[in-house]
Amino acid sequence: MTDLNKPNRTPTDSEIAAKQHTEVHRQQVSIKAWSQKLLVVILCVASFYGGWKSYESNMVNECTANGGKMIEGQRTMLCQSLQ
C-alpha cells in the first residue's frame, strides 16, 4: 500500500551515494570499535602480566635482602632461609 500524499519517485544518484556512504561509514565505525576493544584487551593482559612479574621480582629481592634463597616449586616460589 502506498502513501497517496507522497509522490512516487526514484531516488537520485546523490541520494543513493549518500546512503552508500552512510553504510560504509557504519562499517568503518564498527571495525574501529572492534579494533579498539581488542587493543584494550591486549593492553589489560600486558598490564596484568607486567604487574605479576613485578610482584615476583619484588618477592625475590625481598627474600635475598633478608638472607634467603628462592626455591621454585611446580606452581609456587618459596623463600628458604639460609640460617
Side-chain angles (χ1 to χ4, degrees), residues 59-70 79-83:
M59 290 296 107
V60 170
N61 290 341
E62 187 177 326
C63 179
T64 54
N66 292 326
K69 179 180 177 184
M70 293 301 292
C79 180
Q80 183 180 27
S81 177
L82 299 175
Q83 298 173 354

Side-chain angles (χ1 to χ4, degrees), residues 11-21:
T12 63
D13 289 341
S14 62
E15 290 173 336
I16 293 172
K19 184 178 179 183
Q20 289 173 345
H21 177 71

Side-chain angles (χ1 to χ4, degrees), residues 16-78:
I16 293 172
K19 184 178 179 183
Q20 289 173 345
H21 177 71
T22 302
E23 290 174 3
V24 169
H25 182 67
R26 285 182 186 159
Q27 289 174 350
Q28 289 174 349
V29 168
S30 176
I31 290 170
K32 186 177 180 181
W34 277 106
S35 63
Q36 287 176 342
K37 289 177 185 176
L38 182 61
L39 178 63
V40 168
V41 168
I42 290 170
L43 291 174
C44 286
V45 169
S47 176
F48 176 80
Y49 183 76
W52 178 28
K53 287 299 181 180
S54 175
Y55 173 77
E56 277 187 350
S57 176
N58 287 338
M59 290 296 107
V60 170
N61 290 341
E62 187 177 326
C63 179
T64 54
N66 292 326
K69 179 180 177 184
M70 293 301 292
I71 300 173
E72 291 191 38
Q74 290 180 348
R75 293 186 179 182
T76 59
M77 295 177 65
L78 301 172

